[in-house]
Amino acid sequence: MKARAALLLAMVLNACSPSTGGDVTRTATFSDSSLPPVKLFTTGKYAGPIRSNNDLALDFIELSFKLESGRDLPVFTRFEGPVTVAVIGNKPASLQPDLNRLLSRLRNEARIDIKQVNASSANITINAVSRKEIQSVLPQAACFVAPNVSTLAEYRKIRKTNKANWSQLRSRTRLAIFLPNDVSPQEIRDCLHEELAQALGPLNDLYRLPDSVFNDDNVHTVLTGFDMLMLRTYYSPKLNNGMTRGQVAATLPYILREVNPRGEFTTASYTTRTPQQWKRAIETALGPSSKSSARRKAAAEAITIATAMGWTDQRRAFAHYAMGRILQSQNPREAQKQFLVAQKFYKSTAGTQLHQAYVAAQLAAYAVSQGDGSGALQLIAPHVKTARENENAALLSTLLLIRAEALDLENRPSEAQAVRMDSLGWARYGFGSDWAVRAKLREISSLSPLKR
């Protein structure tokens, strides 16, 4: 079983938070609402990998031969031949267009022979079920994928047997994905991308990857250029079910030379692995159950470990970001210092534009709360495009709402209202129900000294 955590550890903010967006012109109405129609992404920008082929080979091996628990996988497994996908259950209106786009990308970018069918014998069955049903079997999961089943009823029967154990697989023939059908369109899509990618390919996540959905920070929620390259490599004819770690490692240089020729001329960075202690500290710091004091202690431990490891990449930044999140409600000024440190490390790390956009939202929200509309506008300006290109509607709508409040502070009310209206279609995709969208509007509005 491979599950996406119910509480995203990454960058989902509380009082001044972004969510998800990309480039668009199309709209759709998924339910009766007094708000503007839901906006849908039709294009995005999927930058290619930023690492050498040597580093990509190391990433591929660690992604493909370990589970998130740290357990080793004995052999390489994938689907052989054309892959079929079916959807069952109570399908939300947004699911089909998002699935169509994803399958098209998998065919064109990852070169996987995959298509949707109606047959009950599909290789991958996507089950659209309620969040309550998912959490009745996995309480901390937002969505998950399981081997050797097609339905939730089947999974309940085998969940504690070897049939549900990924380490026992020697090939992939039948899997099920369980997606919630009663959450926002963006959350459904994010689950779809991550779980379908892992149904097809790697089962591990690595915090060291700045540009991938295969990362528990959950910053990237739409498959990136790196992810598509990993999947294209996964389905190279040079690889087969049952190959050992050594056999795959010996074959990877030849595959990567074909699929990513520019990586042959990029200098290897040999990024260090992430210790389990740091992972546990981050998960405690951003998890749902710990007391504030325990979370602060865990964030401080994550910063200490990152410093001792000599990291200057997104993991060091993420530890400071976590501390900022924890301090935000009790000590906003100190939280801003942590966000600024996080931003410094993100800016020095390639592939972290989306991470920087999340931090900018925090910094800009604080600027609005201090009555600094001009400063907030400057902070937001470079990042709206990033949110669009990464198809992050929740983040995009949040940035636009903060921009609207900043424009009001600058005495530009007509511009502010136009931006606010533009944000609502994205907010409906990113946050879902009308009450959630209106709550986000109130939340951002309450930051401004003009509204207190």
Side-chain angles (χ1 to χ4, degrees):
M1 173 280 303
K2 179 68 181 68
R4 179 184 176 86
L7 178 67
L8 301 187
L9 292 179
M11 304 289 190
V12 181
L13 321 175
N14 290 332
C16 44
S17 149
S19 228
T20 22
D23 244 324
V24 287
T25 48
R26 189 159 55 115
T27 62
T29 301
F30 294 141
S31 62
D32 293 334
S33 173
S34 59
L35 295 172
V38 176
K39 291 184 177 180
L40 296 178
F41 296 104
T42 57
T43 61
K45 185 177 180 181
Y46 317 112
I50 56 178
R51 289 179 291 291
S52 72
N53 282 348
N54 186 90
D55 291 331
L56 292 172
L58 295 174
D59 294 338
F60 186 93
I61 290 295
E62 196 165 350
L63 284 169
S64 304
F65 282 90
K66 277 187 181 294
L67 295 173
E68 279 190 83
S69 63
R71 179 187 299 177
D72 288 331
L73 292 171
V75 295
F76 177 81
T77 65
R78 70 176 186 195
F79 290 99
E80 295 291 353
V83 182
T84 55
V85 178
V87 183
I88 62 174
N90 186 10
K91 296 178 281 188
S94 64
L95 178 56
Q96 190 60 56
D98 283 335
L99 177 59
N100 289 344
R101 287 194 65 211
L102 178 54
L103 293 178
S104 177
R105 287 191 61 204
L106 288 167
R107 286 190 291 267
N108 295 327
E109 297 174 47
R111 312 289 174 86
I112 297 173
D113 185 357
I114 186 169
K115 67 178 180 179
Q116 187 172 353
V117 298
N118 294 319
S120 59
S121 58
N123 298 122
I124 300 172
T125 305
I126 298 171
N127 292 247
V129 298
S130 70
R131 176 162 44 186
K132 183 177 180 181
E133 288 178 275
I134 289 172
Q135 295 185 346
S136 69
V137 291
L138 291 175
Q140 300 303 317
C143 45
F144 69 99
V145 59
N148 297 317
V149 296
S150 296
T151 67
L152 196 58
E154 283 185 283
Y155 178 68
R156 289 180 192 276
K157 291 178 181 177
I158 73 156
R159 58 180 296 204
K160 295 183 180 180
T161 72
N162 278 340
K163 285 190 71 176
N165 188 337
W166 288 99
S167 65
Q168 298 299 312
L169 280 190
R170 295 301 178 264
S171 66
R172 303 187 198 186
T173 56
R174 190 166 66 102
L175 287 86
I177 292 171
F178 303 99
L179 300 182
N181 58 13
D182 52 0
V183 297
S184 72
Q186 179 170 310
E187 186 172 346
I188 296 167
R189 182 210 61 191
D190 295 352
C191 277
L192 175 66
H193 275 244
E194 182 167 349
E195 303 307 336
L196 186 52
Q198 293 185 314
L200 291 166
L203 296 165
N204 195 10
D205 282 335
L206 300 176
Y207 274 108
R208 71 169 184 257
L209 302 177
D211 55 348
S212 176
V213 302
F214 298 115
N215 187 327
D216 273 332
D217 68 9
N218 291 324
V219 174
H220 286 279
T221 53
V222 170
L223 292 179
T224 67
F226 170 90
D227 301 326
M228 288 296 181
L229 182 68
M230 290 292 103
L231 289 170
R232 185 177 174 185
T233 303
Y234 228 84
Y235 284 83
S236 165
K238 291 182 169 65
L239 298 180
N240 296 288
N241 278 310
M243 292 179 73
T244 65
R245 181 186 182 112
Q247 289 171 325
V248 172
T251 309
L252 282 175
Y254 303 100
I255 300 173
L256 291 170
R257 191 174 300 142
E258 291 177 3
V259 300
N260 188 47
R262 68 177 181 175
E264 292 292 294
F265 306 100
T266 304
T267 303
S269 61
Y270 301 104
T271 304
T272 58
R273 290 181 175 175
T274 307
Q276 286 293 334
Q277 301 96 303
W278 187 88
K279 294 180 184 180
R280 286 195 294 269
I282 283 291
E283 287 160 8
T284 300
L286 292 175
S289 57
S290 302
K291 293 182 179 179
S292 179
S293 58
R295 295 175 64 215
R296 279 198 308 274
K297 183 178 179 182
E301 182 183 3
I303 292 171
T304 298
I305 293 170
T307 305
M309 293 291 292
W311 293 341
T312 59
D313 61 13
Q314 77 282 352
R315 292 171 293 182
R316 174 74 179 271
F318 193 45
H320 288 282
Y321 183 90
M323 181 63 85
R325 285 289 312 281
I326 293 162
L327 296 172
Q328 201 167 25
S329 60
Q330 302 149 348
N331 191 340
R333 289 184 183 276
E334 186 58 36
Q336 296 314 296
K337 293 178 183 178
Q338 293 294 326
F339 291 139
L340 286 168
V341 175
Q343 191 77 308
K344 179 187 75 171
F345 286 113
Y346 280 134
K347 284 183 175 179
S348 68
T349 305
T352 62
Q353 288 81 4
L354 188 57
H355 306 69
Q356 293 174 48
Y358 275 109
V359 180
Q362 296 282 15
L363 296 171
Y366 182 75
V368 166
S369 74
Q370 301 303 299
D372 183 7
S374 175
L377 290 172
Q378 289 180 39
L379 284 163
I380 289 169
H383 302 292
V384 171
K385 182 180 179 182
T386 297
R388 288 184 188 276
E389 290 179 342
N390 286 274
E391 303 185 43
N392 196 319
L395 174 57
L396 175 59
S397 62
T398 300
L399 289 170
L400 292 174
L401 287 171
I402 296 171
R403 174 183 278 177
E405 297 304 324
L407 287 167
D408 274 335
L409 288 171
E410 292 296 290
N411 197 26
R412 295 157 64 181
S414 59
E415 292 176 70
Q417 185 59 16
V419 170
R420 195 172 284 113
M421 288 300 295
D422 183 39
S423 75
L424 295 178
W426 296 119
R428 290 196 63 204
Y429 185 88
F431 299 111
S433 61
D434 281 15
W435 70 262
V437 173
R438 296 186 191 283
K440 182 56 62 174
L441 275 166
R442 290 193 298 271
E443 180 185 323
I444 302 300
S445 178
S446 70
L447 295 169
S448 174
L450 298 177
K451 311 288 176 67
R452 293 175 195 159

